[in-house]
Amino acid sequence: MKGKFIVLEGPDRCGKSTQAKMLLNTLLEHGKDVLLTREPGGTDTAEKIRQIVLEPDLDVRPMAELFLYEASRAQHTQEKILPALEAGKIVICERYTMSTCAYQGYGRNIDLKMIETLNKIATLGLVPDLTLVFLMSDKYFTQRGEYLYSDRLEQEDISFRQKMRKGYIELTKKTKNAHLIDADKNIDVIQSEVVELLHKHKIID
Ligand SMILES: Nc1ncnc2c1ncn2[C@@H]1O[C@H](COP(=O)(O)OP(=O)(O)OP(=O)(O)O)[C@@H](O)[C@H]1O
Ligand SMILES: [Mg+2]
């Protein structure tokens, strides 16, 4: 693949969108051709799936939830991510396969091996060149989200978030080119850690 695939991961409200925008600007300043996208969603079809999966008042059972995420991913990967990478772009994606392992695997107790198999099918085997995993203390979930709308997954309780947190830590350890970032720090400190990792992974000189 000619381009580079950077994924931002971590629980709700940990700062992915904030850092994704800053990352986009840094890469543009370095003259890179960049695409910023997100999961679930990223294309017209996948955004419709996103609406279903995140709608607070819908009854979505764990296995249906898993397949909705994977359906969104299959569409998004084929329609948008792979063509951009083939065209040599840097693709920044908010959430990808690790989120499904953390939420539906650790959070919902669905078999991780099965999720990994579905991830491989949905991504056609595509794996990120760099995964940045932002983890913050749980107290910030409330503090940073005070005025935010809560989607269906954000309405889960603290024990769900604790299982996911453990999940992200374990998943980061076993994922190639994945780094844990302390998201309790201030926005600019985190941004400079991200830039350091871009150098380390030779995404910028
Ligand atoms: N390091 C930080 N310190 C303090 N506040 C932050 C930090 N990073 C982000 N925020 C604030 O926290 C809130 C959530 O951040 P953001 O939307 O970037 O998180 P997210 O991970 O994209 O959330 P979601 O999972 O809901 O998409 C925003 O109001 C943002 O301004
Ligand atoms: Mg976001």
Side-chain angles (χ1 to χ4, degrees):
M1 206 66 67
K2 282 192 250 155
K4 291 278 181 198
F5 187 29
I6 305 174
V7 171
L8 282 72
E9 287 282 8
D12 297 295
R13 303 175 188 166
C14 66
K16 298 178 294 300
S17 299
T18 305
Q19 293 300 326
K21 283 188 204 95
M22 295 173 95
L23 176 56
L24 170 71
N25 289 333
T26 302
L27 291 170
L28 291 175
E29 281 162 16
H30 279 78
K32 304 288 183 190
D33 196 359
V34 196
L35 173 76
L36 172 59
T37 189
R38 68 167 183 185
E39 281 209 352
T43 72
D44 290 349
T45 307
E47 287 288 334
K48 290 212 162 151
I49 299 171
R50 179 189 178 95
Q51 285 171 10
I52 299 172
V53 84
L54 296 181
E55 159 68 55
D57 299 328
L58 276 187
D59 179 346
V60 182
R61 303 297 159 106
M63 205 52 78
E65 181 179 278
L66 171 63
F67 279 95
L68 284 168
Y69 278 110
E70 298 295 0
S72 164
R73 181 163 302 135
Q75 182 69 32
H76 184 213
T77 302
Q78 288 187 36
E79 187 185 332
K80 196 164 170 187
I81 299 175
L82 285 173
L85 290 172
E86 273 153 19
K89 292 186 186 187
I90 297 181
V91 176
I92 306 167
C93 188
E94 293 180 44
R95 298 193 182 282
Y96 203 57
T97 48
M98 192 185 281
S99 277
T100 315
C101 293
Y103 281 68
Q104 283 68 47
Y106 285 84
R108 305 266 192 238
N109 300 316
I110 299 177
D111 181 59
L112 261 184
K113 284 257 170 304
M114 186 181 75
I115 295 177
E116 283 163 3
T117 301
L118 292 174
N119 277 341
K120 274 201 192 114
I121 295 168
T123 58
L124 301 174
L126 176 69
V127 288
D129 295 293
L130 175 62
T131 304
L132 305 169
V133 185
F134 300 93
L135 263 194
M136 63 178 182
S137 311
D138 194 71
K139 64 177 180 193
Y140 292 121
F141 178 79
T142 331
Q143 282 180 24
R144 293 182 190 174
E146 211 170 356
Y147 305 106
L148 299 177
Y149 152 87
S150 284
D151 65 39
R152 194 172 53 80
L153 279 291
E154 283 165 348
Q155 290 182 355
E156 289 290 342
D157 62 11
I158 182 168
S159 75
F160 183 81
R161 296 201 297 277
Q162 278 166 346
K163 286 194 271 183
M164 274 189 329
R165 195 184 158 73
K166 176 174 176 277
Y168 274 118
I169 293 169
E170 290 183 11
L171 291 161
T172 304
K173 279 192 195 136
K174 69 174 201 179
T175 304
K176 210 177 154 206
N177 299 326
H179 299 268
L180 211 54
I181 294 176
D182 178 0
D184 287 0
K185 293 184 182 167
N186 87 41
I187 290 174
D188 295 326
V189 172
I190 297 172
Q191 148 80 355
S192 51
E193 288 181 15
V194 170
V195 172
E196 232 172 82
L197 287 167
L198 294 180
H199 286 294
K200 193 177 162 202
H201 285 263
K202 303 198 184 326
I203 294 169
I204 54 174
D205 299 322

